[in-house]
Amino acid sequence: MLYVVLLGVPGAGKGTQAKWLSAALALPHVSSGDLFREQMQNGTELGIEAQRYIDRGELVPDQVTIGMVRDRLERSDARAGAILDGFPRTIPQADAFEVIAREMGASVGPALHLRVPIERLVDRMAGRRVCQKSGHVYHLVYNPPKKPEICDVDGSDLFQREDDLPETVRKRVQVYESLTAPLVEFYRARGVLQVVDGDQPMAAVTAEILAILGQEAGR
Ligand code: AP5
Ligand code: MG
């Protein structure tokens, strides 16, 4: 059973790579951000609570997030594992995730740190478009959809995320540096950290990740 964890600043390419890896490894893509956005779209109590934090670029409280991801990982399609994108994002979440993984009979790792220079992020976020239906990610310049504003995969409309405003992006990067960056050392200490150069064309990043996963499988 394989849990692959994707780490990286907002805009590093976690969602983009997770979609490819999910298809290549036949494991579900579990994105805490997508799960929150789904709840927000459906106007649930959880969605209304999460939106207050997301719109400000802050993190949703750990207990709410952990409960939501646990429920997702207990679904039958995640029996062989999952690609985790955006979770865990704090040390308490990482601790809770180890407990969840143990209960599921899995171990955590590899944790892939997608490294991208901060100066790339504003450009990546400004051009990002996301599909309404299942969160496929596009970029107006680096990965445009075949038809403007329509998802290639499921034909739904593309939208711009409310939290991609430049000032909210700056806040999200600050939150990442203080609360999420410590997870790099957390996973290094456990011997499962792998660093990936996220500042290359998308297909090259995917190839680097698949090479790492191939090596891990062969160990
Ligand atoms: P979330 O949705 O997870 O956002 P994030 O971590 O800020 O990351 P992003 O989705 O912005 O970036 P990404 O790395 O997925 O990049 P992408 O592939 O889209 O979380 C949103 C909010 O929800 C949080 O702020 C928080 O409030 C809440 N939340 C979520 N999880 C939580 C948790 N665990 N605990 C508490 N709160 C939580 O790529 C970005 C753009 O760049 C795209 O346009 C893409 O096409 C382009 N691109 C990607 N790769 C490349 C490349 N190699 N070259 C050129 N362009 C590229
Ligand atoms: Mg994402």
Side-chain angles (χ1 to χ4, degrees), residues 4-7 14 30-33 62 65-70 73 83-90 92-98 100 183 187:
V4 178
V5 174
L6 293 172
L7 293 173
K14 302 180 297 294
V30 174
S31 156
S32 41
D62 284 336
T65 306
I66 291 164
M68 178 184 72
V69 174
R70 175 195 287 273
L73 292 175
I83 312 293
L84 285 130
D85 155 16
F87 179 92
R89 224 185 182 83
T90 62
Q93 290 181 19
D95 287 335
F97 183 45
E98 289 198 320
I100 294 171
L183 293 185
Y187 285 116

Side-chain angles (χ1 to χ4, degrees), residues 16 28-29 45 67 69 71 74 89 91-92 98 109 120 123 126 137 142 144 169 175-176 180 209 211:
T16 300
H29 169 202
E45 215 172 294
V69 174
D71 288 349
E74 282 173 352
R89 224 185 182 83
I91 296 283
E98 289 198 320
R120 296 280 182 280
D123 189 32
V137 186
Y142 307 126
V169 171
V175 168
Y176 173 86
T180 309
I209 294 175

Side-chain angles (χ1 to χ4, degrees), residues 46-58:
L46 176 65
I48 292 164
E49 183 183 0
Q51 183 146 23
R52 294 210 309 268
Y53 297 94
I54 292 176
D55 284 353
R56 292 198 296 253
E58 292 170 2

Side-chain angles (χ1 to χ4, degrees), residues 8-17 31-34 36-37 50 53-55 57-62 65 69 85-90 93 114 124-125 127-129 137-140 142-143 161 163-164 172 198-202 205:
V9 281
K14 302 180 297 294
T16 300
Q17 295 302 325
S31 156
S32 41
D34 285 354
F36 284 131
R37 281 184 286 277
Y53 297 94
I54 292 176
D55 284 353
E58 292 170 2
L59 295 187
V60 180
D62 284 336
T65 306
V69 174
D85 155 16
F87 179 92
R89 224 185 182 83
T90 62
Q93 290 181 19
L114 293 183
R124 283 196 181 188
M125 304 307 221
R128 171 161 59 187
R129 296 292 183 275
V137 186
Y138 297 86
H139 190 281
L140 296 180
Y142 307 126
N143 182 25
R161 278 171 44 177
D163 61 346
D164 278 349
R172 286 161 57 203
D199 189 19
Q200 350 171 40
M202 291 168 206
V205 179

